[in-house]
Amino acid sequence: MRMVDIIEKKRDGHRLSKEEINFFVNGYTNDTIPDYQVSALTMAIFFQGMTEEETADLTMAMVQSGEQIDLKAIEGIKVDKHSTGGVGDTTTLVLGPLVAAVGVPVAKMSGRGLGHTGGTIDKLEAVKGFHVEIENEEFVKLVNENKLAVIGQSGNLTPADKKLYALRDVTASVNSIPLIASSIMSKKIAAGADAIVLDVKTGAGAFMKTLDDSIELANAMVQIGHHVGRETMAVISDMSQPLGFAIGNALEVKEAIDTLKGEGPADLTELCLTLGSQMVYLAKKASSIDEARKMLEDAIASGMALQTFKTFLQSQGGDANVVDQPSLLPQAKYTIELEAEVDGYLSEMVADEIGTAAMLLGAGRATKDSEIDLAAGLVLHKKIGDKVTAGESLLTIHSNFEEVDHIKTKLYENITISAERVESPVLIHKVIT
Ligand code: URA
């Protein structure tokens, strides 16, 4: 088999066989096929696309390029949730204890990463003593006992995806639906998920900016799941404005606690119940989505969800007192209000720019080596559609430095107040099964 023939075949719009896909993925992983040939192929895929079958074959070739986590020692159906990423996305912190409280095993492997805030691990490390450096055996034991544990990413999972993603990033071929879909799904499958729930964000703060693109990506991922025998569902959710109120690590932990108590922001609560119902249903703990939702609502009302969070924090060394006394979480030195300059209705709050403002406060990493300020971030008081009076606080800035004028300017530039009444955006655009 020759790589040049595979490039030519795709360039001319033909389907690649499983053998051809395995040949190029293995060759690239083993350094026997050079970057320039693979970049020609990814560009050909960018223009010609891939069929569902090719996309599934590419996914499995990437899964098989490295280690795969075996979660068989964990009892029950392991359902993983993946979000394509957004601003103020506190869902993982809420969903873990919420679905664990009704018996769904959550064996979460998480990372830190770059972004507006830290990753799930950074957020959880805002709880004093909490750590994810646990042995695999301990991880399995904790999930079996408490239904929830989080471990740091280790092992050489999907090395082909790492190389391909890095290459696509510098050759303008990231934005190809089959390449994105296979990249995301390969990581979930290699991490041992039996079933997958996808939260595909759409809007200014999302990777996919338009609803049509988001739907196409979600469909492609659900189809991969069906082809490779992993039940998969997707929710397309709004990310034109940040989700919930909090953007920042400790601030999001506090918001997760509020939500588990039933006192969280309406949008975050609704999204968690929607995604959580799918997880419970796919884990076969309920016979319908409606029944699953009722179980989750009951777990919040009875305090079980909150108790599961406490047990989880404690079992990984964390100070569970934060649940009853959130003031034990890291607190910023300064809290500064951003006041509305005019009366009207909040009509725009550009999610990614608001996220960048939180990052500039120290809530996220700009580079791999940046330190995160766990206390820093923003807490919104108004969302799109809300009535606003001049002088009222739109949001609170939590900062460990006093001079935040440049952040205020950025926030004002990205928040619009209009005279006419504006509808709040639809939260759940579509559910794909
Ligand atoms: N996220 C991924 O993990 N892969 C892509 O290709 C794009 C976004």
PDB file of all heavy atoms in Angstrom, residues 182-194:
ATOM      1  N   SER A 182     -14.313  12.165  14.913  1.00  0.00           N
ATOM      2  CA  SER A 182     -13.510  10.968  15.221  1.00  0.00           C
ATOM      3  C   SER A 182     -12.503  11.269  16.318  1.00  0.00           C
ATOM      4  O   SER A 182     -12.211  10.429  17.173  1.00  0.00           O
ATOM      5  CB  SER A 182     -12.810  10.443  13.961  1.00  0.00           C
ATOM      6  OG  SER A 182     -12.057  11.479  13.362  1.00  0.00           O
ATOM      7  N   SER A 183     -11.989  12.496  16.343  1.00  0.00           N
ATOM      8  CA  SER A 183     -11.021  12.884  17.369  1.00  0.00           C
ATOM      9  C   SER A 183     -11.668  12.819  18.757  1.00  0.00           C
ATOM     10  O   SER A 183     -11.132  12.203  19.689  1.00  0.00           O
ATOM     11  CB  SER A 183     -10.532  14.304  17.038  1.00  0.00           C
ATOM     12  OG  SER A 183      -9.870  14.884  18.125  1.00  0.00           O
ATOM     13  N   ILE A 184     -12.832  13.420  18.895  1.00  0.00           N
ATOM     14  CA  ILE A 184     -13.500  13.444  20.204  1.00  0.00           C
ATOM     15  C   ILE A 184     -13.916  12.022  20.625  1.00  0.00           C
ATOM     16  O   ILE A 184     -13.658  11.576  21.744  1.00  0.00           O
ATOM     17  CB  ILE A 184     -14.734  14.377  20.171  1.00  0.00           C
ATOM     18  CG1 ILE A 184     -14.277  15.835  19.993  1.00  0.00           C
ATOM     19  CG2 ILE A 184     -15.587  14.223  21.425  1.00  0.00           C
ATOM     20  CD1 ILE A 184     -15.410  16.840  19.793  1.00  0.00           C
ATOM     21  N   MET A 185     -14.560  11.314  19.695  1.00  0.00           N
ATOM     22  CA  MET A 185     -15.079   9.984  20.059  1.00  0.00           C
ATOM     23  C   MET A 185     -13.952   8.996  20.357  1.00  0.00           C
ATOM     24  O   MET A 185     -14.092   8.132  21.226  1.00  0.00           O
ATOM     25  CB  MET A 185     -15.983   9.461  18.932  1.00  0.00           C
ATOM     26  CG  MET A 185     -17.293  10.194  18.820  1.00  0.00           C
ATOM     27  SD  MET A 185     -18.372   9.996  20.265  1.00  0.00           S
ATOM     28  CE  MET A 185     -19.038   8.366  20.008  1.00  0.00           C
ATOM     29  N   SER A 186     -12.815   9.129  19.663  1.00  0.00           N
ATOM     30  CA  SER A 186     -11.721   8.173  19.921  1.00  0.00           C
ATOM     31  C   SER A 186     -11.249   8.305  21.367  1.00  0.00           C
ATOM     32  O   SER A 186     -10.973   7.314  22.043  1.00  0.00           O
ATOM     33  CB  SER A 186     -10.560   8.383  18.940  1.00  0.00           C
ATOM     34  OG  SER A 186      -9.919   9.626  19.172  1.00  0.00           O
ATOM     35  N   LYS A 187     -11.198   9.551  21.871  1.00  0.00           N
ATOM     36  CA  LYS A 187     -10.717   9.753  23.245  1.00  0.00           C
ATOM     37  C   LYS A 187     -11.699   9.156  24.267  1.00  0.00           C
ATOM     38  O   LYS A 187     -11.301   8.568  25.264  1.00  0.00           O
ATOM     39  CB  LYS A 187     -10.501  11.249  23.510  1.00  0.00           C
ATOM     40  CG  LYS A 187      -9.264  11.766  22.751  1.00  0.00           C
ATOM     41  CD  LYS A 187      -8.983  13.215  23.035  1.00  0.00           C
ATOM     42  CE  LYS A 187      -9.800  14.158  22.207  1.00  0.00           C
ATOM     43  NZ  LYS A 187      -9.090  14.982  21.232  1.00  0.00           N
ATOM     44  N   LYS A 188     -12.977   9.323  24.018  1.00  0.00           N
ATOM     45  CA  LYS A 188     -13.983   8.788  24.951  1.00  0.00           C
ATOM     46  C   LYS A 188     -13.953   7.258  24.942  1.00  0.00           C
ATOM     47  O   LYS A 188     -14.052   6.622  25.983  1.00  0.00           O
ATOM     48  CB  LYS A 188     -15.391   9.260  24.540  1.00  0.00           C
ATOM     49  CG  LYS A 188     -15.622  10.733  24.727  1.00  0.00           C
ATOM     50  CD  LYS A 188     -15.845  11.101  26.167  1.00  0.00           C
ATOM     51  CE  LYS A 188     -14.813  12.069  26.656  1.00  0.00           C
ATOM     52  NZ  LYS A 188     -14.921  12.461  28.052  1.00  0.00           N
ATOM     53  N   ILE A 189     -13.855   6.682  23.755  1.00  0.00           N
ATOM     54  CA  ILE A 189     -13.879   5.213  23.650  1.00  0.00           C
ATOM     55  C   ILE A 189     -12.611   4.622  24.281  1.00  0.00           C
ATOM     56  O   ILE A 189     -12.671   3.663  25.055  1.00  0.00           O
ATOM     57  CB  ILE A 189     -14.056   4.782  22.175  1.00  0.00           C
ATOM     58  CG1 ILE A 189     -15.445   5.216  21.687  1.00  0.00           C
ATOM     59  CG2 ILE A 189     -13.857   3.275  22.018  1.00  0.00           C
ATOM     60  CD1 ILE A 189     -15.654   5.123  20.191  1.00  0.00           C
ATOM     61  N   ALA A 190     -11.471   5.243  24.016  1.00  0.00           N
ATOM     62  CA  ALA A 190     -10.219   4.724  24.603  1.00  0.00           C
ATOM     63  C   ALA A 190     -10.249   4.833  26.123  1.00  0.00           C
ATOM     64  O   ALA A 190      -9.610   4.044  26.823  1.00  0.00           O
ATOM     65  CB  ALA A 190      -9.023   5.485  24.040  1.00  0.00           C
ATOM     66  N   ALA A 191     -10.999   5.809  26.648  1.00  0.00           N
ATOM     67  CA  ALA A 191     -11.072   5.995  28.105  1.00  0.00           C
ATOM     68  C   ALA A 191     -12.056   5.012  28.745  1.00  0.00           C
ATOM     69  O   ALA A 191     -12.296   5.079  29.947  1.00  0.00           O
ATOM     70  CB  ALA A 191     -11.444   7.430  28.441  1.00  0.00           C
ATOM     71  N   GLY A 192     -12.637   4.122  27.951  1.00  0.00           N
ATOM     72  CA  GLY A 192     -13.382   2.999  28.518  1.00  0.00           C
ATOM     73  C   GLY A 192     -14.887   3.169  28.614  1.00  0.00           C
ATOM     74  O   GLY A 192     -15.544   2.350  29.260  1.00  0.00           O
ATOM     75  N   ALA A 193     -15.445   4.211  27.989  1.00  0.00           N
ATOM     76  CA  ALA A 193     -16.893   4.428  28.102  1.00  0.00           C
ATOM     77  C   ALA A 193     -17.679   3.328  27.391  1.00  0.00           C
ATOM     78  O   ALA A 193     -17.346   2.943  26.272  1.00  0.00           O
ATOM     79  CB  ALA A 193     -17.253   5.775  27.498  1.00  0.00           C
ATOM     80  N   ASP A 194     -18.730   2.817  28.076  1.00  0.00           N
ATOM     81  CA  ASP A 194     -19.650   1.884  27.411  1.00  0.00           C
ATOM     82  C   ASP A 194     -20.666   2.668  26.596  1.00  0.00           C
ATOM     83  O   ASP A 194     -21.158   2.206  25.571  1.00  0.00           O
ATOM     84  CB  ASP A 194     -20.437   1.074  28.455  1.00  0.00           C
ATOM     85  CG  ASP A 194     -19.529   0.207  29.304  1.00  0.00           C
ATOM     86  OD1 ASP A 194     -18.593  -0.378  28.739  1.00  0.00           O
ATOM     87  OD2 ASP A 194     -19.757   0.132  30.524  1.00  0.00           O
TER      88      ASP A 194
END
